[in-house]
Amino acid sequence: MEHEEQADRMEDDAEKLEQHSDQLGERIDDIRDDWERKEQDVSVPGAQPDPDDEEETAGEDEEEEGS
């Protein structure tokens, strides 16, 4: 009987973890969407990428593709 109780508790824990994982995924998506909106808004200081960083990133992408 104790094994069944332990199995039930483990199933409950697994369900809770899955629910928390889903909620976290939703929060991450919301935050990513918010940041992408801020990147497009010139009135948000610091949200736009530094032009120098964009050039470096573009160069790195080209190097990776050529490898």
Side-chain angles (χ1 to χ4, degrees), residues 10-56:
M10 292 174 79
E11 285 180 18
D12 290 341
D13 288 345
E15 288 175 15
K16 288 177 187 176
L17 288 171
E18 184 175 359
Q19 185 178 27
H20 288 299
S21 175
D22 291 343
Q23 291 172 346
L24 181 59
E26 290 172 10
R27 286 183 61 198
I28 290 170
D29 290 340
D30 291 343
I31 291 169
R32 182 176 291 127
D33 292 342
D34 181 51
W35 178 249
E36 289 173 355
R37 280 191 301 275
K38 288 178 180 177
E39 283 184 312
Q40 303 303 316
D41 187 350
V42 294
S43 68
V44 179
Q48 290 75 37
D50 186 7
D52 294 335
D53 289 345
E54 285 182 2
E55 290 174 12
E56 290 176 17

